[in-house]
Amino acid sequence: YGVWVAGSAQAGSLLLNTICDTTGDGVFLCLSAADHIQSNTITDCDGAGLHIGPESDVFSGSVTDNELSGNGSGVCWEGVPGTWLWSNDIHDNQGAGVAVVGDGHLLILFNSTYDNGGLGIDLGNDGVTANDVDDLDTGPNDLLNFPQVTSIQMVGGDYVLQGTAPPDCVVDVYSGGSDPSGYGEGEAWVTSEFADSAGAFTVTVPSAEMPVSMTASLGADTSEFSAWKKPTALVLQDAT
């Protein structure tokens, strides 16, 4: 381990560190807490770059501006709700970019997630988790359903995408970062829209950003990335 904190200890602030070439996780917190995890470079660790174990917390509410690359996985999260993983550069890890496992809950926003060996976001660390009717399941991030695009129209050189997502969630759209599974990663955040109370959403995407993948965020949870490839049933028409 590069940094290992367990039990009732508090890690304080983890800022501006370079942690690399460990035989375990780069940073591991278990049954403990940190104030801030920000602006660290964590690379080439055999385990996760950042591993937040059960009942652990980040008091500031954010893990931000870190680079996590070349590790076994970028982030492995089992921690309690209330933390944001945002604006990090998570790439070229052997497994998932972000794996949320066990009873973990994590809001995952505005990160650059690409070229990872596994999914960009993996709930359960077991590959793509299919959506379920009414989204009543439990587990890491409550296995929140990802958005599904049902139609695309071209309007004035932009694409207007319509689809369904968990009701009242935020739909974040990302470009770049395709994955062999057919489900995206997200190299660059493009835009956000709210789904309505029935789960319907409409989002406009500049043509230069296509194709895209999407996540849904609701409460303390974020979904996996949606399918990257256009569904075969997709209707594309010029509405100019």
Side-chain angles (χ1 to χ4, degrees):
Y1 297 97
V3 175
W4 185 86
V5 182
S8 60
Q10 185 175 334
S13 295
L14 299 174
L15 306 173
L16 300 169
N17 298 285
T18 297
I19 301 169
C20 61
D21 297 313
T22 68
T23 55
D25 301 322
V27 174
F28 176 65
L29 305 181
C30 185
L31 302 172
S32 57
D35 290 324
H36 304 274
I37 300 177
Q38 183 175 354
S39 301
N40 300 284
T41 299
I42 306 174
T43 61
D44 300 317
C45 301
D46 290 345
L50 173 63
H51 186 173
I52 305 298
E55 298 183 36
S56 297
D57 195 8
V58 179
F59 290 149
S60 70
S62 65
V63 177
T64 184
D65 295 328
N66 301 283
E67 180 179 2
L68 301 134
S69 66
N71 305 294
S73 60
V75 176
C76 181
W77 191 274
E78 303 174 77
V80 300
T83 299
W84 295 28
L85 182 78
W86 65 291
S87 295
N88 300 279
D89 195 6
I90 305 171
H91 63 93
D92 291 292
N93 297 287
Q94 297 172 33
V98 181
V100 185
V101 298
D103 293 323
H105 293 269
L106 181 63
L107 200 58
I108 305 166
L109 301 170
F110 312 134
N111 300 284
S112 179
T113 309
Y114 59 97
D115 290 342
N116 295 289
L119 299 178
I121 300 172
D122 194 340
L123 305 185
N125 204 23
D126 54 2
V128 177
T129 300
N131 285 348
D132 62 309
V133 177
D134 295 327
D135 205 11
L136 299 177
D137 45 8
T138 60
N141 275 8
D142 284 340
L143 300 180
L144 187 66
N145 283 353
F146 50 77
Q148 292 184 290
V149 175
T150 56
S151 70
I152 296 180
Q153 292 182 320
M154 194 168 204
V155 181
D158 294 331
Y159 287 98
V160 177
L161 288 71
Q162 294 181 316
T164 59
D168 300 314
C169 76
V170 176
V171 176
D172 283 299
V173 182
Y174 296 84
S175 64
S178 60
D179 185 86
S181 69
Y183 288 73
E185 297 192 66
E187 187 168 0
W189 175 83
V190 177
T191 189
S192 300
E193 288 290 346
F194 283 97
D196 66 19
S197 59
F201 70 87
T202 300
V203 62
T204 299
V205 177
S207 58
E209 303 291 350
M210 293 290 289
V212 294
S213 186
M214 303 179 185
T215 61
S217 293
L218 185 66
D221 301 319
T222 296
S223 72
E224 295 180 349
F225 283 100
S226 67
W228 179 260
K229 295 180 180 179
K230 298 174 183 177
T232 55
L234 207 59
V235 176
L236 176 62
Q237 64 185 83
D238 191 343
T240 57

